[in-house]
Amino acid sequence: MVELRKRKTPPPAPVRPAKKKAAPKTKVEKAKEVVAEKVEAVKEAVTGKGKAKANGEKVAAAPAKEAATAPSAPPKAGDTIDLTAFGGEIETHEGTKTTLAKLVEESKSGVVLFTYPKASTRGCTTQACLFRDSYEPLTAGGLAIYGLSNDSPKANTNFKTKQNLQYPLLCDPAQTLISAIGLKKAPKGTTRGVFVVDKSGKVLAAEPGSPEGTVAVVKKIVAGSPSAGGPAAPSLDGAKEAKDVEMANTADEVADTAAKVDSKEA
């Protein structure tokens, strides 16, 4: 008989030691990771270098931000401006789109813009009528006169018709031109004043004033023009004259406020 030998039982496999669990992250470590991720994201946005995608493509570079440019200061008398895009687009009381450059081009020697806070109020009516009554001598040298406000075309059309004004009124609801000539009153108002520019873009006047004062500025310019043969137009930069303008503006605002109250009570 063949004797069957029993196989020896193999020794048991060695037990591998269990992996140690990582110690839980502290709040400080978690916060550091969040900060590091944000810093990395900011770097990628600034440099435009994205991480590689799964398909091997790179994230598109973030567009560079345009450099912020500080708004230029409004021009003053004696400055020469580039009329090409100065003041943006406005419209006449009839709804026709135009620009200061077009108005100057259409004029014989330049443009007068007198600004007023609100159509059909007392001070603004006085100012508009003064320009109306002096229209002939003021335009004799080739200057074209325009009233300018942030009123609507409808309000300015009613104003022009009621006061029988022979010159156009310009509407600037966005106050692009009013701001450009330095006669915007924060937040959405308009300062009464006058701005005069000749065909070459030279600013002959740019200042606030009373109804009478704005007309006087243009009269001095016309009197001092070469065609009139007069002396150079004096400026209104003196301390006394500046004080007079300020007092006139204050009185004018009081009159306009009173007119609004009267209209509500009527």
Side-chain angles (χ1 to χ4, degrees), residues 117-159:
K118 189 172 181 59
S120 297
T121 54
R122 187 175 302 177
C124 301
T125 299
T126 298
Q127 183 185 24
C129 291
L130 285 171
F131 274 97
R132 177 198 65 192
D133 298 341
S134 300
Y135 183 80
E136 294 299 330
L138 293 180
T139 57
L143 290 174
I145 294 176
Y146 296 89
L148 172 65
S149 73
N150 58 329
D151 290 300
S152 66
K154 181 179 179 181
N156 271 333
T157 297
N158 292 338
F159 188 30

Side-chain angles (χ1 to χ4, degrees), residues 75-243:
K76 58 183 181 297
D79 291 346
T80 298
I81 60 176
D82 180 4
L83 292 165
T84 306
F86 185 86
E89 190 176 64
I90 51 176
E91 61 181 318
T92 67
H93 64 278
E94 296 175 331
T96 303
K97 303 292 184 181
T98 188
T99 62
L100 179 60
K102 289 181 181 179
L103 298 178
V104 172
E105 183 181 357
E106 293 167 359
S107 70
K108 291 182 179 180
S109 62
V111 164
V112 173
L113 301 176
F114 72 86
T115 58
Y116 51 94
K118 189 172 181 59
S120 297
T121 54
R122 187 175 302 177
C124 301
T125 299
T126 298
Q127 183 185 24
C129 291
L130 285 171
F131 274 97
R132 177 198 65 192
D133 298 341
S134 300
Y135 183 80
E136 294 299 330
L138 293 180
T139 57
L143 290 174
I145 294 176
Y146 296 89
L148 172 65
S149 73
N150 58 329
D151 290 300
S152 66
K154 181 179 179 181
N156 271 333
T157 297
N158 292 338
F159 188 30
K160 174 179 168 63
T161 302
K162 186 175 181 179
Q163 301 305 328
N164 194 28
L165 307 177
Q166 66 273 65
Y167 49 81
L169 299 180
L170 303 175
C171 310
D172 186 15
Q175 295 185 297
T176 55
L177 180 54
I178 293 171
S179 296
I181 62 178
L183 291 172
K184 178 181 178 180
K185 181 190 293 183
K188 296 181 180 180
T190 298
T191 298
R192 192 183 311 283
V194 63
F195 182 85
V196 186
V197 60
D198 67 11
K199 295 281 284 186
S200 68
K202 183 178 180 180
V203 179
L204 306 180
E207 57 192 89
S210 64
E212 295 80 5
T214 52
V215 177
V217 169
V218 183
K219 285 182 176 179
K220 289 179 181 179
I221 291 173
V222 173
S225 65
S227 60
S235 63
L236 297 182
D237 293 333
K240 182 178 181 303
E241 289 171 324
K243 186 176 181 181

Side-chain angles (χ1 to χ4, degrees), residues 2 16 28 40 69 110 117 124 133 146 155 163 170 180 189 201 216 235 257 261:
V2 179
R16 293 182 180 181
V28 174
E40 186 64 25
T69 54
C124 301
D133 298 341
Y146 296 89
Q163 301 305 328
L170 303 175
S235 63
T257 302
V261 173

